Amino acid sequence: MFFINYLDRTAIGFAAPNGMEQSLGLSAAQFGFASGVFFIGYILLEVPSNLALARFGARRWLARIMVSWGIVAFLFTFVQDFAQLAGLRFLLGVAEAGFFPGAILFLSLWVPGKHRSKILALFYLAQPLTSVVGAPLAGLLLQNDGALGLEGWRFMFLCVSLPAVLIGVIAWFYLKDKPSDAKWLTREESDWLETTLETEKIGTETSATGIGGHGVGLGRVLKSGRVWMLSFIYFGFIYGLYALAFFLPTIIGTFEEQFGTSFGLFEKGLITAIPYLPAAAALYFWSRDATKRGLKTWHIAIPAVVGGVSIPVALYMNSPAATIAVITITAMAIFAALPNFWTLPTQFLTGTAAAAGIALINTMGNLAGFAAPYITGAVTDVTGTYRVPMFIVGFFLLVSALLMVLLSRKRKAGADTGAAPTDDRPAAATAAGLG
């Protein structure tokens, strides 16, 4: 489901330099706006959607989300101008709202804390692997100019939209809301799992730093300093992720002018995929190390620094191979941090608070999802180069690293003084999820 989700929202990045920009007469700023306005629609329904998931159950709600976005994604096949493109991108965000935080919440309801980093890493593998498989697939589909009477980029949109509807219907019957509903678990296994999860939930709710319970309102979550700090950290990572996702195909398209090289559509797809296979490996092994050692501040801060330094350097390389090599380092850094980051909120949020808090953090990330493509496109139009926008990406990643260190120091300061922790002070290592 996550694979299809990420492919559908980033398909516009493959379409733009391969016929769509020319057909619709788009500037870089218009493309950036159309890419990013998706996240405005997403943000508007993010928290309500996740609260609805907590109320109605993951099976029904995640399946509903998938079928809805599949229908909207299908309509991109027939878009005629910038206004229609921007409108459909907004509606796609509305349709997809709540999927990612809903999936994170769903997994937290199934997986005990000590296994969560490993499971989230396996889940997150879908994102880089979407580009590993999806970029060459998009290249192949884009070559089918004239298929069904459609331009190649329209045919691509048609083909990538249909799986969302199909998998959404399957999810309705396949997913289970809780372990006791799973026929593939024995009675003893489901009893053990639910008892373990309930014990963790009670421990979190009764801890000084925990925020949870079904009676907890959204207001308390909004007042939590930790939730907001994590939101700003996530903003930096998502800014880097989507600047890379939406503009990497376009950057590769500039190689011909910059280096005098020429690539076909399928070759461009393969080049776009190159950074993401090492990124998938980095994600898996970095998360495995975090599971083994216990999550440390540097599991998140170091990748942020590496990504922040490498991304602007990439565009100063003197060959396509060197440029892609440095971009690969950036992708590895961003993806190594993300699944480890998502183990933090569910270590001090439970129940309705978890649904609201995770959605709020993801909402801030989606603000970056809007800002990154729009700012990147607008600054590129003004400067005529992608170098300045990539320095902006680097800046936000470095800010995320700094905030992660400050979060850890604030926790340690509270522990050293022996002060009673509050919802605004991540004083306990276990509750804050930082060793």
Side-chain angles (χ1 to χ4, degrees):
M1 293 169 74
F2 192 24
F3 179 96
I4 297 168
N5 172 261
Y6 192 65
L7 179 61
D8 281 350
R9 75 168 60 174
T10 57
I12 189 174
F14 301 115
N18 296 298
M20 188 183 75
E21 282 184 332
Q22 183 177 2
S23 294
L24 303 184
L26 302 178
S27 67
Q30 286 178 318
F31 167 65
F33 179 84
S35 299
V37 76
F38 163 94
F39 296 97
I40 300 301
Y42 199 102
I43 287 166
L44 290 176
L45 291 181
E46 181 82 323
V47 174
S49 180
N50 223 34
L51 293 176
L53 180 142
R55 179 178 179 182
F56 297 113
R59 176 178 65 86
R60 295 183 182 90
W61 203 249
L62 292 178
R64 193 281 306 163
I65 289 173
M66 285 205 76
V67 173
S68 298
W69 97 55
I71 293 171
V72 176
F74 172 77
L75 297 177
F76 280 85
T77 308
F78 311 104
V79 67
Q80 296 298 319
D81 54 35
F82 167 69
Q84 291 181 9
L85 179 67
L88 283 176
R89 286 289 295 178
F90 176 83
L91 289 177
L92 186 65
V94 169
E96 286 193 24
F99 172 77
F100 178 78
I104 296 293
L105 177 63
F106 178 64
L107 290 173
S108 74
L109 299 176
W110 272 81
V111 182
K114 70 177 182 178
H115 302 289
R116 207 163 288 158
S117 179
K118 177 182 178 181
I119 295 301
L120 287 177
L122 293 174
F123 170 70
Y124 237 107
L125 278 173
Q127 201 166 43
L129 290 180
T130 299
S131 297
V132 172
V133 177
L137 174 63
L140 286 173
L141 294 174
L142 287 164
Q143 291 179 345
N144 290 276
D145 207 29
L148 302 179
L150 300 171
E151 296 170 85
W153 62 271
R154 296 182 187 275
F155 182 73
M156 181 201 69
F157 276 127
L158 172 66
C159 292
V160 301
S161 67
L162 298 179
V165 177
L166 175 62
I167 299 300
V169 172
I170 292 173
W172 179 276
F173 298 99
Y174 181 80
L175 290 181
K176 303 299 179 184
D177 289 315
K178 55 184 183 296
S180 59
D181 293 337
K183 295 181 180 179
W184 43 270
L185 289 175
T186 66
R187 179 65 179 270
E188 291 77 14
E189 288 171 337
S190 64
D191 287 347
W192 172 85
L193 184 53
E194 291 197 335
T195 299
T196 301
L197 291 166
E198 184 64 23
T199 300
E200 287 186 354
K201 177 182 175 182
I202 293 171
T204 298
E205 291 177 355
T206 57
S207 72
T209 55
I211 307 175
H214 293 287
V216 174
L218 178 60
R220 189 177 176 191
V221 172
L222 291 173
K223 294 177 182 177
S224 171
R226 278 172 296 163
V227 171
W228 283 105
M229 183 73 87
L230 291 172
S231 296
F232 289 123
I233 292 169
Y234 190 56
F235 181 96
F237 281 113
I238 297 303
Y239 193 99
L241 176 67
Y242 282 109
L244 199 63
F246 288 128
F247 283 93
L248 180 57
T250 303
I251 290 172
I252 291 171
T254 66
F255 284 171
E256 183 172 0
E257 178 181 348
Q258 187 177 359
F259 301 115
T261 58
S262 180
F263 302 103
L265 290 174
F266 182 64
E267 291 172 319
K268 289 178 181 177
L270 290 175
I271 295 170
T272 302
I274 288 173
Y276 294 99
L277 190 58
L283 180 158
Y284 178 77
F285 288 108
W286 195 253
S287 297
R288 186 175 179 180
D289 184 79
T291 300
K292 180 180 179 181
R293 297 174 187 266
L295 183 66
K296 309 295 182 183
T297 300
W298 52 263
H299 278 117
I300 299 171
I302 288 179
V305 172
V306 172
V309 172
S310 61
I311 187 62
V313 170
L315 298 188
Y316 287 89
M317 296 295 101
N318 58 8
S319 71
T323 302
I324 294 299
V326 179
I327 289 176
T328 298
I329 294 173
T330 304
M332 291 172 68
I334 293 173
F335 281 107
L338 286 174
N340 293 314
F341 171 86
W342 277 112
T343 65
L344 298 179
T346 54
Q347 293 191 24
F348 69 94
L349 296 169
T350 64
T352 305
I358 292 170
L360 176 60
I361 294 168
N362 199 49
T363 294
M364 287 298 296
N366 286 316
L367 283 174
F370 170 74
Y374 181 66
I375 292 174
T376 300
V379 175
T380 301
D381 277 345
V382 172
T383 62
T385 176
Y386 283 98
R387 289 180 177 179
V388 176
M390 292 305 108
F391 273 105
I392 297 174
V393 173
F395 167 78
F396 280 115
L397 284 168
L398 291 175
V399 169
S400 290
L402 176 62
L403 292 176
M404 196 68 219
V405 173
L406 291 176
L407 180 66
S408 178
R409 288 187 175 181
K410 192 175 182 181
R411 171 191 62 80
K412 290 178 181 178
D416 291 342
T417 60
T422 69
D423 288 341
D424 294 330
R425 294 181 60 188
T430 55
L434 298 174

